Structure formats: structure tokens, C-alpha cells
Amino acid sequence: MRKILINGNKRLAGEVRISGSKNAALAILAATILLPGKTIIRNVPDLLDIKTIIRVLQRLGLRAEYSASQENTVEIWNRGVKHVAPYELVTKMRASFFVIGPILARQGLAKIPLPGGCAIGSRPVNLHIKGLEALGAKVRIEHGFVIAEAAGLKGDRVYLDFPSVGATESVMMAAALAAGETIIENAAGEPEIVDLANFLNLAGAKITGAGTEEIRIQGVKELSPVEYRVIPDRIEAGTFILAVAITKGEALIRDIVPEHIESVVRKLKETGLEIEMLAKDLRVSAKNGFKAVDLKTMPHPGFPTDMQPQFCSFLSLAQGTSVITETVFENRFMCVHELRRMGAEIKLEGQSAIITGVPELSSAPIKVSDLRAGAALVIAGLAAKGETLIEDRDHHIERGYEKLIYKLRSLGADIKEV
Ligand code: EPZ
């Protein structure tokens, strides 16, 4: 959808089901390169980014497609994989770079375009490369391609200078078929890492410690095909909670994993929201408004950077002044410039945004720079009086939110694609 029109200031109510996790699904689909035969992945959200990784797998020689008969199910037939990933697809979505580890492990050679930066930062891949080199790969960068070669990967210790999600996933996937033990130190612990490890272990890998800062992988000779269901998307869940809360509504958010959104829920309760956590659902009510809070994004289990832009919108209408500090990406306050155009009072100082709550936001034509900034601007538009026209020329929002307009309309939002 290139343009979204929201007639805001309508209280949201009802219930909404959360889709499968985009980021878990992307890593798990990349990991199917390691599994010969037919693999079935369920609860895969129908997103542009998922379509891109499916096209990458097809171009690598796998048969990969959304199942015709079952919604949100991807079937992959793997009878061997090429070692060159398509340039135009990897530069379109940097997550495609994750295929480097599995291809190297299967082929002993991988040639992957160096992913570009994006709106939120330069997005280097040096830690991915450092990890693969630690497993014995020779890696060079030529004409914008990363070329990795390894006669046979050998397990070793890998220290990640930053607990990078992608680098942890690349090393985990390569180490799954390496000879001997690999220990990843200062590993990322996000739920999507645990989901990838659970998927690989179901296929015969020997991975322990996923979710902690030290992950051990005993290499095995071969993995076998499996059927697997992806975890729910914790960032979509957090986004919907804020969409309901900013309109002072109340709703039931279905199909979530409570411990995956603990840090977000803790912060929301500090603002005074009523949050009731059930076994697999969460009830949120914001009838009495909400207060300012300070927050700082951190690697898991800290507050997730992917919820930071949405909180900038939400706290623009809180009572009091909030300070949001972004420590993961170098340029992730893009939505602030657009929020200011809607009347938000936000000052940027270094890596912090100082947000003075205002009584209301006013609608305005706004532009989307990246996925989560787009989600933040939809949230702001839902609260603003009048019609907000959101221009999303590069379809960022569709990359990460399945059926967003349909789900918001089912909660009573006056929102449509124009
Ligand atoms: C994953 O990106 C997610 N994407 C991001 O979600 C998420 O924001 C990020 O993890 C952090 O949680 C997917 O899983 C597809 P990182 P990734 O490597 O792996 C630096 C969304 O909106 N770094 O953990 O690319 C990097 O510059 C997206 O769904 C290096 O320096 O993130 C950044 O400052 C946005 N060298 C920090 O680490 C490297 O080799 C975190 O990046 C790799 C990363």
C-alpha cells in the first residue's frame, strides 16, 4: 500500500490475533538451506520480506512456495543449493545476507552481495564475517560481494563484540554442520534466536544455551527435514498494544508469548496502563490515560529497539516528559521529524529523544522512512484528530505487518488504503 488514510481519534476495541514472527521466519527459512528434502514451516506471516526470502531460496535452486492449501505455510524442497545469492534481492532486504552461513556449510563456498545500509543505520556485517572466519572460512570482499570459502568448517570459540542477532544466527547455522564444538560468546538472546535453535535441534542439530549469552553448538554430519511452527511476532504484539492504548481503548491481543514481551509490558505498566497477562493472550485497557516514562533500548532481555519508534508516538500524548534513549542503531529517530509535523513536542539530543507530552496530535500528510517508523506514524494517525495521509512509497509497512489495515479496521479504526 503506497498511501494510507486514517481518520483518527477513534477509540479501538475488540480483539486481534498476532501473526507469526517476521524475524524468526526469515532466519528459519534461510536455515532450510541446511536441510535436504521437504521441510514445512507454519505460521509464516504473509509479508513482502517473506516473499523476498522465498525468492532468494528459489534463486538458490530450492523449490520454495507458500502452500496453496494451508494459509501461512511455506513448503521447501531442497535437492542442493547454488552458492551465489541474487544481487537485487539481497540489496532489497538485508536479512537475505543470513543465507551466507547455511550456503557455506552446505557448499563450502558462498558468494553473497554485501548488503547496503538503510534508514536506521549503516548495518555492517563485520561480525558475521568474523564469526565465519573463526570457523575456518576464508572471506574476502570483491566488487560488492562477500565471498566465503571453506574446505570444511571447524568448530571454535567466537566472541561477538556486540550481541548481534544476525551474526549470532549466521554463526549458529554454519556451526550446525561444522566439525566439532562451537561456542558463541556474547551471543544475542532474542526469542527469534531461540526459535531458530529449536528449529535446528528438531532437525537434528545439537545446540544448547540459545537465549543466553553463551551458545554451544556440537556440529553434526547431516540434518533432516522437519515440520515447524514459527513463534508469534512480539513486535507486532507490542505495536497493537500501543495502537489500542494511544486511542484510550481496550482490547484482547491474541496468540502471544508473554515472556517475549516482558520488558515492553513492564514499561507499559509504568505508564499506568492496565495490562492483564493471560496464558497466550493479553488484555490492555487505557481508559484513564497514561503517564510519561523514560526508556533505553538494549539487546534482549532489555527493551527492544524495534519498539522504540512506536513508543515515541505513544509517549507524545503521555502526561509529563519522557526520555527515550536508543543504544542499538545509530539513526533510529527518523519518525520524530514526522511526529513534530503532527504537533508532537520532541527534542533530539545525541542518542536521546526528550518528549514533552501534548494534549493532542493534529493530522498532517506524513512520509514513512522505514518499517518501524511507519508503524509509529500509523499509531500517531490513529490518535490524531482529523485525517492523516501516510505516504509509504517503498511499502515499508507491508514488509513487516501482515493485514495491518484489516486488523486495525476490525478494532474499529477508520483506516484505508488510497
Ligand atoms: C535484527 O537485525 C532484526 N532483523 C532487526 O529488526 C532488529 O532491530 C535487530 O536484529 C536488533 O534487535 C531481523 O532479524 C531480520 P543486529 P540485525 O545485527 O541482525 C551492529 C525490524 O524492524 N552490527 O543485532 O541486522 C549493527 O550496526 C528489524 O524488524 C555490527 O556492528 O541487527 C547494530 O548497531 C530492524 N556488525 C547492532 O549491531 C555486524 O556484523 C545490532 O544489529 C552486525 C551488526
Side-chain angles (χ1 to χ4, degrees):
M1 57 207 137
R2 306 172 70 82
K3 284 201 171 107
I4 300 174
L5 184 66
I6 303 175
N7 186 5
N9 198 27
K10 293 190 170 26
R11 185 183 286 261
L12 298 193
E15 65 176 69
V16 63
R17 191 186 86 76
I18 297 305
S19 301
S21 163
K22 163 177 86 80
N23 292 345
L26 289 171
I28 287 168
L29 287 169
T32 62
I33 291 169
L34 295 166
L35 279 49
K38 178 178 177 183
T39 294
I40 295 178
I41 312 292
R42 302 186 193 288
N43 200 32
V44 177
D46 187 359
L47 301 170
L48 291 183
D49 276 5
I50 296 296
K51 290 189 168 63
T52 301
I53 196 83
I54 287 177
R55 283 227 304 287
V56 169
L57 295 180
Q58 290 165 345
R59 296 279 294 278
L60 289 170
L62 283 73
R63 218 180 106 200
E65 56 202 32
Y66 262 113
S67 138
S69 56
Q70 297 193 38
E71 208 183 310
N72 296 116
T73 299
V74 178
E75 296 178 356
I76 293 109
W77 290 264
N78 179 350
R79 285 184 298 278
V81 60
K82 297 189 190 104
H83 69 272
V84 183
Y87 174 80
E88 74 283 358
L89 290 177
V90 175
T91 46
K92 186 170 148 80
M93 180 185 69
R94 67 180 314 284
S96 324
F97 188 76
F98 291 164
V99 300
I100 189 166
I103 296 174
L104 185 62
R106 284 293 302 271
Q107 290 292 94
L109 170 65
K111 187 176 174 190
I112 317 289
L114 195 59
C118 69
I120 63 177
S122 59
R123 312 296 294 273
V125 290
N126 59 310
L127 296 178
H128 296 246
I129 292 171
K130 176 182 178 184
L132 297 176
E133 285 176 332
L135 302 184
K138 294 272 171 288
V139 184
R140 64 185 193 282
I141 294 178
E142 257 172 32
H143 310 301
F145 275 82
V146 176
I147 300 158
E149 296 174 87
L153 292 171
K154 199 171 151 320
D156 205 327
R157 265 180 194 284
V158 179
Y159 175 76
L160 296 180
D161 307 73
F162 183 89
S164 152
V165 171
T168 302
E169 291 168 343
S170 287
V171 174
M172 190 196 282
M173 290 189 273
L177 295 179
E181 180 180 56
T182 297
I183 300 171
I184 306 176
E185 293 173 328
N186 198 31
E190 274 69 3
E192 294 75 31
I193 303 273
V194 177
D195 211 27
L196 174 62
N198 290 341
F199 167 73
L200 289 171
N201 282 340
L202 187 63
K206 291 186 171 38
I207 301 170
T208 53
T212 73
E213 77 282 352
E214 181 175 288
I215 302 176
R216 287 174 182 264
I217 304 113
Q218 290 295 343
V220 294
K221 279 254 169 305
E222 184 169 77
L223 296 172
S224 31
V226 294
E227 292 200 21
Y228 191 77
R229 180 183 172 84
V230 171
I231 53 171
D233 193 312
R234 61 194 170 104
I235 305 301
E236 185 196 12
T239 304
F240 271 97
I241 293 170
L242 290 184
V244 171
I246 201 170
T247 63
K248 297 195 174 56
E250 83 166 290
L252 188 62
I253 314 290
R254 312 294 307 264
D255 203 359
I256 60 165
V257 177
E259 62 267 18
H260 290 175
I261 55 171
E262 233 159 55
S263 61
V264 172
V265 169
R266 205 178 304 125
K267 209 31 89 176
L268 288 168
K269 285 182 173 172
E270 273 180 48
T271 70
L273 288 189
E274 287 156 54
I275 304 264
E276 186 192 352
M277 190 67 93
L278 307 165
K280 284 181 62 181
D281 307 326
L282 176 147
R283 183 178 302 285
V284 53
S285 167
K287 290 204 180 100
N288 314 320
F290 41 89
K291 296 193 305 298
V293 290
D294 294 344
L295 71 88
K296 184 174 180 182
T297 67
M298 296 293 281
H300 196 76
F303 186 91
T305 173
D306 289 351
M307 279 301 302
Q308 178 265 94
Q310 299 91 312
F311 262 79
C312 283
S313 295
F314 177 61
L315 295 174
S316 295
L317 289 174
Q319 293 133 21
T321 299
S322 309
V323 178
I324 293 186
T325 303
E326 170 61 51
T327 71
V328 177
F329 287 108
E330 63 261 35
N331 183 34
R332 199 169 202 175
F333 284 123
M334 306 289 281
C335 66
V336 166
H337 311 293
E338 298 299 299
L339 288 173
R340 281 186 185 135
R341 301 183 60 248
M342 298 177 75
E345 275 184 36
I346 306 176
K347 253 200 336 258
L348 290 178
E349 281 184 13
Q351 283 297 73
S352 292
I354 294 110
I355 305 172
T356 307
V358 292
E360 64 183 36
L361 290 175
S362 64
S363 54
I366 44 183
K367 285 189 171 36
V368 171
S369 56
D370 62 271
L371 166 57
R372 305 301 174 184
L377 295 171
V378 167
I379 287 171
L382 290 170
K385 285 189 176 13
E387 289 199 338
T388 295
L389 184 63
I390 298 176
E391 188 181 336
D392 183 8
R393 215 185 31 250
D394 299 331
H395 301 265
H396 288 293
I397 296 172
E398 256 172 301
R399 292 186 48 180
Y401 290 92
E402 184 182 50
K403 298 192 187 109
L404 181 68
I405 290 185
Y406 169 79
K407 290 185 178 184
L408 285 172
R409 290 174 70 86
S410 72
L411 289 170
D414 180 350
I415 178 172
K416 63 182 178 230
E417 188 177 347
V418 293

